[in-house]
Structures are given as C-alpha cells and as structure tokens.
Coordinates of all heavy atoms in Angstrom, one line a residue:
N1 N -3.9 -4.9 2.4 CA -4.8 -4.0 1.6 C -4.5 -2.5 1.8 O -5.4 -1.7 1.8 CB -6.3 -4.3 2.1 CG -6.5 -4.0 3.6 OD1 -5.6 -3.6 4.3 ND2 -7.7 -4.0 4.0
F2 N -3.2 -2.2 1.9 CA -2.8 -0.8 1.9 C -2.7 -0.4 0.4 O -1.6 -0.6 -0.2 CB -1.5 -0.6 2.6 CG -1.5 -0.8 4.1 CD1 -1.3 -2.1 4.6 CD2 -1.8 0.2 4.9 CE1 -1.3 -2.3 6.0 CE2 -1.8 0.1 6.3 CZ -1.6 -1.2 6.8
K3 N -3.7 0.1 -0.2 CA -3.7 0.4 -1.6 C -2.8 1.6 -2.0 O -2.9 2.7 -1.4 CB -5.1 0.7 -2.1 CG -6.0 -0.5 -2.1 CD -7.3 -0.2 -2.8 CE -8.2 -1.4 -2.9 NZ -9.5 -1.1 -3.6
K4 N -1.9 1.3 -2.9 CA -1.0 2.4 -3.3 C -1.8 3.4 -4.1 O -2.7 3.1 -4.9 CB 0.1 1.8 -4.2 CG 1.1 0.9 -3.5 CD 2.1 0.4 -4.4 CE 3.1 -0.5 -3.7 NZ 4.2 -1.0 -4.6
G5 N -1.6 4.7 -3.8 CA -2.3 5.8 -4.4 C -3.6 6.1 -3.8 O -4.3 7.1 -4.1
K6 N -4.1 5.2 -2.8 CA -5.4 5.4 -2.2 C -5.3 5.5 -0.7 O -6.2 6.0 0.0 CB -6.3 4.2 -2.5 CG -6.6 4.0 -4.0 CD -7.5 5.1 -4.5 CE -7.9 4.8 -6.0 NZ -8.8 5.8 -6.5
N7 N -4.2 5.1 -0.1 CA -4.1 5.0 1.4 C -2.9 5.9 1.8 O -1.8 5.7 1.3 CB -3.9 3.6 1.8 CG -4.0 3.4 3.3 OD1 -3.1 3.7 4.1 ND2 -5.2 3.0 3.8
A8 N -3.2 6.8 2.8 CA -2.1 7.7 3.3 C -1.0 6.9 3.9 O 0.2 7.3 3.8 CB -2.7 8.6 4.3
F9 N -1.3 5.8 4.6 CA -0.2 5.0 5.3 C 0.6 4.2 4.3 O 1.6 3.6 4.7 CB -0.8 4.1 6.3 CG -1.5 4.8 7.5 CD1 -2.7 4.4 8.0 CD2 -0.9 5.9 8.0 CE1 -3.2 5.0 9.1 CE2 -1.4 6.6 9.1 CZ -2.6 6.1 9.6
A10 N 0.2 4.1 3.1 CA 1.0 3.5 2.0 C 1.9 4.5 1.3 O 2.6 4.2 0.4 CB 0.2 2.8 1.0
G11 N 1.9 5.8 1.8 CA 2.8 6.8 1.3 C 2.1 7.6 0.2 O 2.7 8.5 -0.5
S12 N 0.8 7.5 0.0 CA 0.0 8.2 -1.0 C -0.2 9.7 -0.5 O -0.4 9.9 0.7 CB -1.3 7.6 -1.2 OG -1.2 6.2 -1.6
G13 N -0.1 10.6 -1.3 CA -0.2 12.0 -0.9 C 1.1 12.6 -0.4 O 1.6 13.5 -1.0
V14 N 1.7 12.0 0.6 CA 2.9 12.4 1.2 C 3.7 11.1 1.5 O 3.3 10.3 2.3 CB 2.7 13.2 2.5 CG1 4.1 13.4 3.2 CG2 2.0 14.5 2.2
N15 N 4.9 11.0 0.8 CA 5.6 9.7 0.9 C 6.2 9.5 2.3 O 6.3 8.3 2.8 CB 6.8 9.7 -0.1 CG 8.0 10.4 0.4 OD1 8.9 9.9 1.0 ND2 8.1 11.7 0.0
L16 N 6.4 10.5 3.1 CA 6.9 10.4 4.5 C 5.9 9.8 5.5 O 6.3 9.4 6.6 CB 7.5 11.7 5.0 CG 8.8 12.2 4.4 CD1 9.1 13.6 4.8 CD2 9.9 11.2 4.8
A17 N 4.6 9.8 5.1 CA 3.6 9.2 6.0 C 3.5 7.7 5.9 O 2.7 7.1 6.6 CB 2.2 9.9 5.7
A18 N 4.3 7.1 5.0 CA 4.2 5.7 4.8 C 4.7 4.9 6.1 O 5.7 5.3 6.7 CB 5.1 5.3 3.6
L19 N 3.9 3.9 6.4 CA 4.3 3.1 7.6 C 5.2 1.9 7.1 O 5.2 1.5 6.0 CB 3.1 2.5 8.2 CG 2.0 3.4 8.7 CD1 0.9 2.6 9.4 CD2 2.6 4.5 9.7
D20 N 6.1 1.5 8.0 CA 6.9 0.3 7.7 C 6.1 -0.9 7.3 O 6.4 -1.6 6.4 CB 7.8 0.0 8.9 CG 8.6 -1.3 8.7 OD1 9.7 -1.2 8.1 OD2 8.2 -2.3 9.3
V21 N 5.0 -1.2 8.0 CA 4.2 -2.4 7.8 C 3.4 -2.2 6.5 O 3.0 -3.3 5.9 CB 3.3 -2.6 9.0 CG1 2.2 -1.6 9.1 CG2 2.8 -4.1 8.9
A22 N 3.2 -1.0 6.0 CA 2.3 -0.8 4.9 C 3.0 -0.9 3.6 O 2.4 -1.3 2.6 CB 1.6 0.6 5.0
T23 N 4.3 -0.6 3.5 CA 5.0 -0.5 2.2 C 5.2 -1.9 1.7 O 5.5 -2.9 2.4 CB 6.3 0.2 2.3 OG1 7.1 -0.5 3.4 CG2 6.1 1.6 2.7
D24 N 4.9 -2.1 0.4 CA 5.1 -3.4 -0.3 C 4.2 -4.4 0.3 O 4.5 -5.6 0.3 CB 6.5 -3.8 -0.3 CG 7.5 -2.8 -0.7 OD1 7.2 -2.1 -1.7 OD2 8.5 -2.6 -0.1
S25 N 3.0 -4.1 0.8 CA 2.1 -5.0 1.4 C 1.1 -5.6 0.5 O -0.1 -5.6 0.7 CB 1.4 -4.3 2.6 OG 0.6 -5.3 3.3
G26 N 1.6 -6.3 -0.5 CA 0.7 -7.1 -1.4 C -0.1 -6.3 -2.4 O -0.8 -6.9 -3.2
A27 N -0.1 -5.0 -2.3 CA -0.9 -4.1 -3.3 C 0.0 -3.7 -4.4 O 0.8 -2.9 -4.2 CB -1.5 -2.9 -2.5
V28 N -0.2 -4.3 -5.6 CA 0.7 -4.0 -6.7 C 0.3 -2.8 -7.5 O 1.1 -2.2 -8.2 CB 0.7 -5.2 -7.6 CG1 1.3 -6.4 -7.0 CG2 -0.7 -5.6 -8.1
D29 N -0.9 -2.3 -7.4 CA -1.3 -1.1 -8.0 C -2.5 -0.4 -7.2 O -2.9 -1.0 -6.2 CB -1.7 -1.3 -9.5 CG -2.8 -2.2 -9.7 OD1 -3.9 -2.1 -9.0 OD2 -2.7 -3.2 -10.5
S30 N -3.0 0.7 -7.7 CA -3.9 1.4 -7.0 C -5.3 0.8 -6.9 O -6.2 1.1 -6.1 CB -4.1 2.8 -7.6 OG -4.5 2.8 -8.9
N31 N -5.6 -0.1 -7.8 CA -6.9 -0.7 -7.9 C -7.0 -2.2 -7.3 O -8.1 -2.7 -7.3 CB -7.4 -0.8 -9.4 CG -7.5 0.6 -9.9 OD1 -8.0 1.5 -9.3 ND2 -6.9 0.8 -11.1
V32 N -5.8 -2.7 -7.0 CA -5.8 -4.1 -6.5 C -5.2 -4.2 -5.2 O -4.2 -3.6 -4.9 CB -5.0 -5.0 -7.5 CG1 -5.0 -6.4 -7.1 CG2 -5.6 -4.9 -8.9
S33 N -5.8 -5.0 -4.3 CA -5.2 -5.3 -3.0 C -5.5 -6.7 -2.6 O -6.2 -7.4 -3.4 CB -5.6 -4.3 -1.9 OG -7.0 -4.4 -1.7
N34 N -5.1 -7.2 -1.5 CA -5.3 -8.5 -1.0 C -4.6 -9.6 -1.9 O -5.0 -10.8 -1.8 CB -6.8 -8.9 -0.9 CG -7.5 -7.9 0.0 OD1 -7.2 -7.7 1.2 ND2 -8.6 -7.2 -0.5
N35 N -3.7 -9.2 -2.7 CA -2.9 -10.2 -3.5 C -2.0 -10.9 -2.6 O -1.4 -10.3 -1.7 CB -2.1 -9.5 -4.6 CG -2.9 -9.0 -5.7 OD1 -4.0 -9.5 -5.9 ND2 -2.4 -8.1 -6.5
V36 N -1.9 -12.2 -2.8 CA -0.8 -13.0 -2.1 C 0.4 -13.1 -3.0 O 0.2 -13.6 -4.1 CB -1.4 -14.4 -1.7 CG1 -0.2 -15.2 -1.1 CG2 -2.6 -14.3 -0.8
I37 N 1.5 -12.6 -2.6 CA 2.7 -12.6 -3.4 C 3.8 -13.3 -2.6 O 3.8 -13.3 -1.4 CB 3.1 -11.2 -3.8 CG1 3.4 -10.3 -2.5 CG2 2.0 -10.5 -4.6 CD1 4.0 -9.0 -2.8
V38 N 4.8 -13.7 -3.4 CA 6.1 -14.2 -2.8 C 7.0 -13.0 -2.8 O 7.5 -12.5 -3.8 CB 6.7 -15.3 -3.6 CG1 8.1 -15.7 -3.0 CG2 5.8 -16.5 -3.7

C-alpha cells in the first residue's frame, strides 16, 4: 500500500527518498493499492 504519488517512501515528492521495499509494491497508480500482482 505504498501509493505512488501519495507516499514519500514510494519516491513521491523526491525520488531519492524511495525505499527499496516500497518501490513496485503492488500500487499501480496513485489511487489504487493493495493489488495482488505477479
């Protein structure tokens, strides 16, 4: 549930603040999270 565009740890606002665990963590856009993806 690291929402892109909404969460600082997903790289929103400043891309260098992104965490390793947060990037590509199932959130495909800024309004959707908790998606289960392959």
Side-chain angles (χ1 to χ4, degrees):
N1 64 352
F2 292 91
K3 288 188 177 182
K4 295 181 179 179
K6 299 290 186 179
N7 190 282
F9 293 140
S12 305
V14 172
N15 82 88
L16 284 173
L19 303 183
D20 173 80
V21 71
T23 54
D24 309 317
S25 183
V28 294
D29 60 49
S30 61
N31 298 314
V32 180
S33 62
N34 302 306
N35 285 339
V36 178
I37 62 172
V38 178

